[in-house]
């Protein structure tokens, strides 16, 4: 199942592990908590003693982040890419397991909290994956996810057309393409100029002042270059993450709300971010 997904992410995690100096797990974990509408202290009190699942955990950096904050509870990370799990380090009460989050080896109603961050859009049938995850959640339990949102019209057209080619590429070919996208993003970033753009609703363009890179990136082409860290390695991993996975569904806000509600969840926090939505929801009785 999902062999291409396993190869893509196995390669990504083997070659681009999230390592402390480049992308501190602590800062990233706290961002994740905050984008789900908690403040960090409130979350740390809430999570204590809970049974938690990090669904699609990659190397398990968030699994271990959760385990450090929840030493009295039980924390599991599951990922379909065996290489990622093998490369991952188990910390404290965090356990990493190879498996499919659409077919989990746990009894129903096992978890108090399931986090499915940046994963569900990579599964073949996200709506079904979500319903399956909800069966593993206790009544009253909490679910969080980050899911890709639909981009402006021309960017969607470009992504759909380009991804038809790049998902068929070998890992090496797609890495080369991703490096080219990073270089292009870097050149645009180095222009260091801004432009004033009018509202163009037909093309989903919100007017305002943009740097040239941001304008191109948001509306026309995924040519990511991390403008905060200026780190080429992370930028290329991010481009690869976009162009190679076989499934990368994108949704409107309405689609996401409907998907979550149809799965038997009640939305408690909904946050629109640049490339996706972060949702926190509760399993209704
Ligand atoms: C973009 S990464 C996100 C990893 C992690 N949640 C994070 O936020 O850093 C997506 C992960 O989902 C995993 N994945 C995709 N489909 C899966 C499935 N059906 N079951 C389990 N893991 C899956 C991939 O192997 C990959 O490690």
């Amino acid at each position: 199942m999902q062999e291409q997904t396993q190869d893509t992410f196995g390669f990504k995690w083997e070659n681009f592990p999230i390592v402390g100096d480049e992308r501190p797990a602590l800062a990233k974990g706290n961002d994740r908590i905050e984008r789900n509408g908690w403040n960090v202290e409130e979350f740390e009190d809430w999570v204590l003693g809970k049974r938690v699942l990090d669904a699609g955990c990659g190397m398990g950096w968030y699994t271990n982040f959760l385990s450090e904050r929840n030493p009295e509870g039980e924390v599991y990370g599951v990922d379909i890419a065996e290489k990622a799990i093998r490369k991952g380090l188990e910390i404290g009460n965090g356990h990493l397991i190879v498996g499919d989050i659409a077919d989990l080896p746990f009894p129903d109603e096992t978890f108090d909290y399931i986090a499915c961050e940046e994963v569900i859009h990579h599964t073949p049938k996200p709506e079904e994956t979500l319903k399956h995850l909800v069966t593993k959640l206790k009544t009253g339990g909490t679910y969080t996810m980050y899911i890709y949102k639909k981009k402006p019209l021309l960017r969607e057209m470009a992504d759909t057309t380009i991804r038809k080619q790049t998902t068929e590429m070998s890992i090496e070919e797609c890495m080369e393409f991703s490096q080219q996208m990073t270089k292009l993003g870097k050149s645009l970033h180095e222009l260091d100029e801004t432009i004033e753009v009018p509202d163009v609703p037909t093309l989903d363009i919100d007017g305002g002042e943009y740097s040239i890179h941001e304008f191109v990136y948001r509306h026309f082409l995924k040519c990511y270059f991390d403008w905060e860290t200026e780190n080429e390695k992370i930028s290329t991993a991010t481009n690869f993450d976009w162009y190679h996975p076989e499934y990368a569904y994108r949704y409107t806000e309405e689609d996401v709300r409907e998907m979550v509600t149809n799965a038997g969840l009640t939305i408690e926090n909904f946050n629109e971010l640049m490339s996706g939505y972060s949702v926190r929801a509760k399993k209704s009785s």
Side-chain angles (χ1 to χ4, degrees), residues 97-116:
I97 299 165
V98 180
D100 182 354
I101 62 164
D103 185 17
L104 287 166
F106 297 103
D108 287 355
E109 305 250 335
T110 297
F111 296 99
D112 301 290
Y113 170 36
I114 297 180
C116 186

Side-chain angles (χ1 to χ4, degrees), residues 2 5-6 9 12-13 18 28 32 54-58 61 78-81 84 99-102 117-119 122-124 241:
Q2 283 188 260
T5 306
Q6 295 184 41
F9 285 104
K12 184 201 148 174
W13 293 116
I18 291 180
K28 197 162 140 62
R32 188 158 280 186
D54 181 11
C57 61
W61 71 267
V78 173
D79 201 283
I80 205 164
D100 182 354
I101 62 164
E117 299 283 339
E118 313 189 13
V119 180
H122 292 308
T123 64
D241 214 272

Side-chain angles (χ1 to χ4, degrees), residues 17-52:
I18 291 180
V19 285
D21 289 346
E22 282 176 334
R23 207 165 179 183
L26 179 63
K28 197 162 140 62
N30 286 346
D31 282 354
R32 188 158 280 186
I33 287 168
E34 282 167 0
R35 79 187 185 190
N36 281 315
W38 281 296
N39 74 46
V40 174
E41 280 173 19
E42 184 191 355
F43 177 81
E44 287 176 348
D45 286 347
W46 175 81
V47 82
L48 269 187
K50 294 210 163 29
R51 195 181 289 144
V52 173

